Amino acid sequence: MQASELPRAVAAAMSIASSLGLTVDDAVVLNDSNKLTLRLLPCGVLARVAPVAHQVAEFEVELAQQLAESGCPVAALEPRVAPRAYAHDGFVVTLWTYYEPVAPQEVSPADYADALERLHAGMRKLDVPTPHFTDRVEQAQRLLANRDRTPALADADRELLGDTLGRLRRVIGERGGAEQPLHGEPHPGNVLTTENGLLFIDLETCCRGPVEFDLAHAPDEVGEHYPGVDQTLLRECRILVLAMITTWRWDRDDQLPDGRRLGTEWLSRIRAALDHNPLDTHG
């Protein structure tokens, strides 16, 4: 969230919650990146706020409802208000159940894999249209081609990312393997450790593709516990995902804290991965 927009975003969330009959005297910022996450007090609701132009909140709400109803491990919407996206003063706000964090502990790869497998099982029953994972790759490619949006990216790095995105998008897409709805970004930052077990959040990145694309966002060990994984495809997806998120870090408007340092670090990781195991992507 742009610093200049932060007070208005907080005010929008508080205003909406109050208008719905919730008691709101204060808001605590839990996370501030491309989307703002607040805990509203004393009602204890979690609010997610985004500019109207940069959100797919209705899509996320619909997914969350369907997945929760089928028993999937996802964070629930706030039950005291209607399940929908609310607009106010140029922002869209969604209201969710707040989960008290449990004592810090390392999530086991087996538990992570089990939760993701159960999420995938529920997502196969979804009745909503989803974009294809290659659409998300194309978004990164368009950003990469726009030098005005990525002015600090060196030519050699731009070529590396463009070549990696293009080749892997084609190769993975041409495999013709099984595809299904996916979370899209089930990395550790989108997993809550709660008294009810692991719960996934941030469903707005949902797309269709192979399960290996989702596993590529998780720690490496998780893929060792997920049944039926194509390890070659998983490796390709990991490099593809790394190239995508690296590209986004070079967006001049990127709001991820410390994003530019991460972008530089990840460029080195991509080169190391390709040097160790060159991609067989001829044809």
Side-chain angles (χ1 to χ4, degrees):
M1 185 75 64
Q2 296 289 343
S4 60
E5 296 182 325
L6 186 61
R8 286 179 47 240
V10 173
M14 294 178 68
S15 176
I16 287 171
S18 295
S19 72
L20 295 171
L22 299 171
T23 303
V24 184
D25 298 326
D26 194 13
V28 178
V29 175
L30 301 180
N31 186 56
D32 180 13
S33 57
N34 294 338
K35 181 175 289 188
L36 181 67
T37 303
L38 306 168
R39 186 185 184 191
L40 305 181
L41 298 171
C43 65
V45 173
L46 186 137
R48 303 185 70 211
V49 191
V52 169
H54 302 136
Q55 56 76 39
V56 287
E58 291 288 1
F59 175 68
E60 183 178 25
V61 167
E62 185 176 1
L63 286 179
Q65 283 184 276
Q66 291 196 31
L67 291 171
E69 289 171 0
S70 65
C72 286
V74 296
L77 292 155
E78 169 54 47
R80 288 173 285 179
V81 301
R84 49 164 289 199
Y86 298 87
H88 181 75
D89 195 22
F91 296 95
V92 171
V93 178
T94 51
L95 301 174
W96 304 80
T97 297
Y98 175 77
Y99 295 90
E100 288 286 352
V102 300
Q105 59 183 349
E106 185 175 348
V107 177
S108 76
D111 289 343
Y112 203 131
D114 176 69
L116 189 56
E117 185 183 6
R118 288 188 288 118
L119 177 65
H120 285 159
M123 296 190 89
R124 286 194 289 272
K125 304 174 185 176
L126 286 177
D127 183 25
V128 293
T130 57
H132 197 257
F133 84 96
T134 53
D135 295 339
R136 301 195 60 216
V137 180
E138 186 178 354
Q139 292 174 3
Q141 290 177 300
R142 288 198 300 268
L143 178 61
L144 196 62
N146 189 335
R147 291 179 179 270
D148 290 337
R149 289 280 304 277
T150 54
L153 188 59
D155 288 345
D157 297 334
R158 192 181 303 274
E159 181 179 358
L160 170 70
L161 291 171
D163 184 54
T164 303
L165 289 170
R167 288 192 296 159
L168 285 173
R169 174 188 174 187
R170 184 186 75 249
V171 169
I172 295 171
E174 289 176 351
R175 280 183 174 272
E179 295 187 344
Q180 69 153 79
L182 306 171
H183 179 287
E185 289 186 356
H187 54 69
N190 283 334
V191 181
L192 300 179
T193 303
T194 75
E195 292 182 351
N196 300 322
L198 300 183
L199 299 176
F200 290 91
I201 62 172
D202 203 357
L203 301 168
E204 64 182 17
T205 54
C206 178
C207 59
R208 177 172 292 274
V211 295
E212 286 82 0
F213 183 80
D214 259 3
L215 284 165
H217 292 79
D220 290 352
E221 297 81 2
V222 174
E224 299 171 6
H225 294 270
Y226 194 104
V229 173
D230 182 330
Q231 293 296 333
T232 299
L233 176 57
L234 177 54
R235 175 181 163 270
E236 293 169 346
C237 285
R238 281 177 177 150
I239 298 174
L240 175 66
V241 167
L242 185 57
M244 291 168 61
I245 63 175
T246 300
T247 298
W248 294 329
R249 299 293 73 81
W250 292 92
D251 185 348
R252 69 185 182 193
D253 297 326
D254 182 49
Q255 298 296 308
L256 187 70
D258 210 18
R260 190 54 51 84
R261 181 192 64 79
L262 289 172
T264 301
E265 176 184 320
W266 293 342
L267 281 166
S268 298
R269 286 179 55 189
I270 292 171
R271 286 192 168 90
L274 294 176
D275 287 344
H276 183 67
N277 285 303
L279 298 173
D280 181 14
T281 60
H282 299 295

